[in-house]
Amino acid sequence: MATAQQLSHVWPLGSRVNDQGHLELGGCDAVELAREFGTPAYVVVEDDIRARARAFADAFAARCDDFEVHFASKAFPCTAVLRLLRDEGLACDVASGGELAIALKAGFDASRIHLHGNAKSERELAEALDAGVGHVVVDNDMDIDRIERLVPAGVVQRVQLRVAPGVSPDTHPAISTGGPNTKFGFGLQSAPAAIERLDASEKLDLEGLHLHIGSQIYDVGSFRTALEAMARLAIHGMVNLGGGLGVAYVAAEHPPSIEEYVAAKVDAVHAIMGPDVRILDEPGRALVANSTVTLYSVETIKRNVDTYVSVDGGMSDNLRPMLYDARYEAQVASRFGGGTFCHLVGKHCESGDLIVRDAELADPRVGDVVATPATGAYGYAMANTYNGVPRAPVVLVKDGRARLVVRRETYEELTGRDVG
């Protein structure tokens, strides 16, 4: 009989291989979860998310008095996940009318929701204003035009101004957002005029500046560089630092800790902008990525030049390997270890539907449950129905109990919007 063991930092907090040699998540046997809920399935460890939310809040509280942590809901826009983070005292940022609706359904007070986006429609802005969102993050001059037109006479809407500081951190180009040639925000040359316009507005109250230089960042010094570039702009007493902390997708990766990330940001704000500036931060993936494991079932094994282990999901439930060449780990949930080098691939009609290139699995067999960790960020968010594959369910696990919070999509729902 195997000895129970804790797993690496890639897996959700508290995960282990139990005495039966099976992966255990939130006290639940992963093989039993696959049997009960089917595969593919996103399994979310509730305690992991709560612990990370508290770690962010505690780290900021230890270094500054006036702060607010927002969950960047685009990372995992699932109502049940948002409720957990609301319960932990976090605020929320949204980037569309749909995300706003999800956040409101999850119970966030509208005054603690911020609306983002580089292409906000008039309808989305009207929905946000009607809901009473705390801030609209102004991205461009058209935002200002529309908000001023929509805000009733005698009403003032609080806003932040998004600035692109011209800093490109060491991350994938698709998730680098603060460089000199980006679709997001005002450049350093155009920001002063926008600030002047907002300061003169009778309907808009500019409370501070916003920057977000990108995601999956390991070099926390990039945040200071960005703030230094913005130092000559009037900050209005508040700065929103975006998010960006990287996470570990494979055991060999060791990103900065939450405490190191927060220290770098707060210290930079205090040094460059002063000790009394209100600090907002919007972590996304770092709150949820490692909380979740996707479970698959092996359908076929094929040996051509290489060995291909094909499972019942793939690019419909995790598009990141195909978009960003993102790397993941995988294990047979009932036989941890290695021995068989293979490619873990999905069921979709694309040669690029490759979940883990050069995986090492323990004697994979048809019917095995395979687990890939660190899928909480942007897996569910980017889920799709390519090849008519219904979207996967979400299961919350805690203290040995499992709770279905998003059911599996049905075939009928694939055509539910047809009108002819």
Side-chain angles (χ1 to χ4, degrees), residues 242-322:
L245 175 60
V247 304
Y249 287 98
V250 297
E253 295 175 337
H254 294 278
S257 68
I258 291 172
E259 292 73 19
E260 290 169 332
Y261 162 86
V262 171
K265 283 192 163 184
V266 173
D267 290 352
V269 170
H270 288 171
I272 296 166
M273 297 180 169
D276 299 322
V277 174
R278 176 170 169 78
I279 298 175
L280 276 59
D281 204 69
E282 300 167 348
R285 82 176 68 220
L287 279 163
V288 295
N290 295 103
S291 71
T292 300
V293 173
T294 302
L295 301 180
Y296 301 104
S297 293
V298 176
E299 298 289 357
T300 61
I301 298 175
K302 182 185 299 183
R303 293 173 177 85
N304 290 332
V305 175
D306 295 324
T307 297
Y308 291 85
V309 176
S310 301
V311 297
D312 53 357
M315 63 192 299
S316 57
D317 56 77
N318 187 0
L319 200 55
R320 292 190 69 256
M322 303 82 196

Side-chain angles (χ1 to χ4, degrees), residues 134-139 144 147-148 156-163 186 190-211 230 233-240:
H135 289 94
V136 176
V137 180
V138 173
D139 180 271
I144 302 176
I147 301 170
E148 286 193 317
V156 177
Q157 173 61 49
R158 294 181 297 159
V159 299
Q160 301 167 35
L161 184 80
R162 182 162 182 173
V163 177
F186 289 84
S190 57
I195 291 172
E196 183 177 352
R197 181 181 175 188
L198 289 171
D199 284 342
S201 175
E202 296 181 355
K203 292 186 173 183
L204 304 181
D205 177 19
L206 176 59
E207 291 203 342
L209 302 184
H210 179 288
L211 70 150
M230 295 170 56
L233 300 176
I235 60 172
H236 293 69
M238 183 184 78
V239 61
N240 187 328

Side-chain angles (χ1 to χ4, degrees), residues 106-124:
F108 279 98
D109 188 307
S111 66
R112 304 192 72 226
I113 298 174
H114 295 175
L115 176 66
H116 283 269
N118 66 296
K120 306 178 193 71
S121 68
E122 192 149 328
R123 172 181 173 176
E124 288 172 321

Side-chain angles (χ1 to χ4, degrees), residues 69-85:
V69 180
H70 288 236
F71 174 50
S73 64
K74 63 181 180 178
F76 202 159
C78 170
T79 309
V81 171
L82 265 63
R83 285 194 187 110
L84 294 179
L85 294 165

Side-chain angles (χ1 to χ4, degrees), residues 12 42-45 48-49 76 288-294 372-377:
Y42 303 106
V43 179
V44 184
V45 177
D48 184 286
I49 289 181
F76 202 159
V288 295
N290 295 103
S291 71
T292 300
V293 173
T294 302
T372 59
T375 56

Side-chain angles (χ1 to χ4, degrees), residues 79 82 86 92 94 97-111 113 127-128 131-133:
T79 309
L82 265 63
R86 177 209 64 192
C92 186
V94 301
E99 285 185 357
L100 172 62
I102 295 169
L104 292 171
K105 184 176 180 180
F108 279 98
D109 188 307
S111 66
I113 298 174
E127 290 169 347
V133 296

